[in-house]
Amino acid sequence: MTGLQISAAQAAVEIAAAENRVVWRIEAVPSRVDARLGDNRIRLDALADHGGGISVVVEAQAAFALEVEAGFTVFYESVPAGRTAYLLTYLDRTDVHQV
């Protein structure tokens, strides 16, 4: 387990449609959540805990704002349409690339 303090429960999602924003609470790795933000279908996958961070993949039909809560750490990302991979680290940075 990383310093992100991920427990063994399910992930939770909150939709803030007026703000075009999704709040994702990662409470277990691996986990998958399918959500809808209006007509935008979104898939959130927390794939693995690498010790220094959590690798996640986000698939979306349209861009949106993503807030990821992982233990005591919160990440804010502007997610583009398509499939994007993130390495969420608790060392004050996030590695992002299109996949």
Side-chain angles (χ1 to χ4, degrees):
M1 189 172 293
T2 70
L4 298 176
Q5 303 298 317
I6 304 303
S7 67
Q10 290 293 327
V13 170
E14 260 180 63
I15 304 296
E19 300 169 16
N20 195 39
R21 182 171 56 96
V22 172
V23 179
W24 179 22
R25 283 179 209 76
I26 300 175
E27 298 172 349
V29 177
S31 65
R32 170 177 282 175
V33 175
D34 290 310
R36 289 186 74 97
L37 180 59
D39 292 333
N40 189 4
R41 283 190 236 161
I42 299 167
R43 172 163 282 172
L44 307 167
D45 281 311
L47 300 176
D49 183 338
H50 297 288
I54 298 172
S55 62
V56 302
V57 173
V58 179
E59 294 181 56
Q61 294 175 318
F64 69 99
L66 177 64
E67 182 177 319
V68 181
E69 298 176 3
F72 298 109
T73 307
V74 179
F75 303 91
Y76 300 93
E77 303 296 339
S78 294
V79 177
R83 188 168 194 251
T84 307
Y86 299 86
L87 177 60
L88 306 176
T89 69
Y90 52 90
L91 299 175
D92 207 13
R93 63 173 256 208
T94 301
D95 294 329
V96 181
H97 64 278
Q98 290 287 112
V99 291

